[in-house]
Amino acid sequence: MQRYWSEARQLIRLASPILVAQVAQIAMNFVDTVMAGQVSAVDLAAVSVASSFWLPVILLVQGIIMALTPIVSQLNGARKRDQVRPAVHQGFWLALMVTPIAMGALYVSPLALQFMDVDPVMADKTAGYLHAILWGLPAFVLFQVLRNFSEGLSHTMPTMVIGFVGLAVNIPANYIFIHGHFGMPKLGGVGCGVATAIVLWAMLLAMILYVKVSTHFKEIGLFSQLARPNGSRIWRLFRLGFPIAMAIFCEVTLFTVVALMLAPFGAETVASHQIALNFSSLVFMLPLSIGVGVTIRVGHSIGEGLPDHARVAARTGLMLGIAVAACTAALTVLLREQIAAIYTDDLQVITLAAILLFFAAIYQISDSVQVVAAAALRGYKDTQAIFYITIVAYWGLGLPSGMILGLTDWIVPRMGPQGFWIGFIVGLTGAALMLGARLRVIYGRFATR
């Protein structure tokens, strides 16, 4: 048990800065929402619609770059720190390859609004936001390379520190470009896109400075000499990261598709769904942060040639995630009406949201298990399995069962939104069971080496 307690302390030390950084990210999104809403409802709606285009793109790119964390952590564990710099440089080259594609996708994405019944003014503001923020995408991608480099070396503090740098820049930048101060044009919601692009460049510059001056990275000499692009290494990095990206994309699009399917049920239903989803997303940050720590610890242990330590790290992460989820689930059940009341004073919305929050409480343990198990598999560099399991669990089990229960009378009378949330439970539970089973297989493989 002493090994598990020691490992738990290590995981908490690694995960805590990640959690705080995510809180800073939420604060930035909150600031954007509030400040855009102060201009007009149209500007607020434009920022919201633009986020539905922006988020999937950045998650795809981020997922690809996430492959660096287990690579760096395994090299660090194997005491091959001289190989870290060229590995990270291949990450830079890969980032430079995927960035123009992502920028092009964002640039043309507003064309999709032409096929929707969207107010022309809102469509123009949405396009303006996306065309402004896409100039921050190169900075975002390069920042992710440096972030994963740092986290792979078990140094998660920069992520937290620079998260607050971003927040500190975001507020005045929004103020200037939304309202047109200091000689700048008054851009409204589009100003949020300009401000976010500036924030992303500020975070990149801060991260570069941190890496250059910190003694933690001095031995690596990351910026001393740029390694030439190596096609085979870049391809291996892409093959490792692409399944991670697609798994994240499948999960995000599942919730997006369900939100669209609930639209015909009316504004109150959509609002209730959004409240429950927003709160569960906040709670999800806890196991997600633990998962980052698990990836680092598992990768480091595998690099050291200590598969027993890797297994302890994975099991400790799972136990810690389950313990945290049990606490948050209990609080969600007990306070679900009060939680819903934070978002709205509409009694009908509060009542339905409280019901959906009960379902959210049920799946929190499964959600915690699946995200930590997937993180452990990333530490083992077993990413293909994550992608296949995600597809089966979310799109083969979760969505079909939600559609059957929510939209048809095949099994029970049509349940509406409750049916879709039962589908979430089915999908996440299926993912937890399959990822857990895959993890046991990987334990056996590494134990026999």
Side-chain angles (χ1 to χ4, degrees), residues 253-385:
T253 52
L254 169 67
F255 290 98
T256 302
V257 168
V258 169
L260 293 174
M261 288 185 175
L262 288 176
F265 287 88
E268 290 81 6
T269 297
V270 174
S272 303
H273 170 78
Q274 189 59 39
I275 288 170
L277 190 59
N278 181 265
F279 180 76
S280 63
S281 298
L282 294 177
V283 172
F284 180 69
M285 290 183 181
L286 290 164
L288 184 62
S289 302
I290 294 170
V292 173
V294 169
T295 299
I296 296 167
R297 294 294 297 163
V298 168
H300 191 277
S301 298
I302 293 300
E304 287 184 301
L306 299 172
D308 286 347
H309 287 190
R311 187 162 59 249
V312 168
R315 288 176 174 172
T316 302
L318 288 168
M319 290 187 290
L320 189 59
I322 290 171
V324 168
C327 294
T328 58
L331 290 173
T332 302
V333 171
L334 293 173
L335 302 174
R336 58 189 186 277
E337 291 185 356
Q338 290 88 337
I339 292 167
I342 294 173
Y343 291 86
T344 182
D345 56 3
D346 187 312
L347 292 178
Q348 184 177 349
V349 174
I350 290 173
T351 301
L352 181 53
I355 295 172
L356 300 183
L357 283 168
F358 179 80
F359 292 118
I362 293 174
Y363 76 51
Q364 280 175 26
I365 292 178
S366 295
D367 205 11
S368 183
V369 170
Q370 68 88 16
V371 72
V372 175
L377 290 170
R378 287 199 299 272
Y380 285 107
K381 296 185 180 177
D382 186 50
T383 60
Q384 291 283 349

Side-chain angles (χ1 to χ4, degrees), residues 26-51:
I26 287 178
M28 280 191 274
N29 294 337
F30 176 76
V31 168
D32 286 352
T33 301
V34 170
M35 296 186 76
Q38 289 174 347
V39 178
S40 73
V42 174
D43 287 88
L44 176 57
V47 171
S48 177
V49 172
S51 297

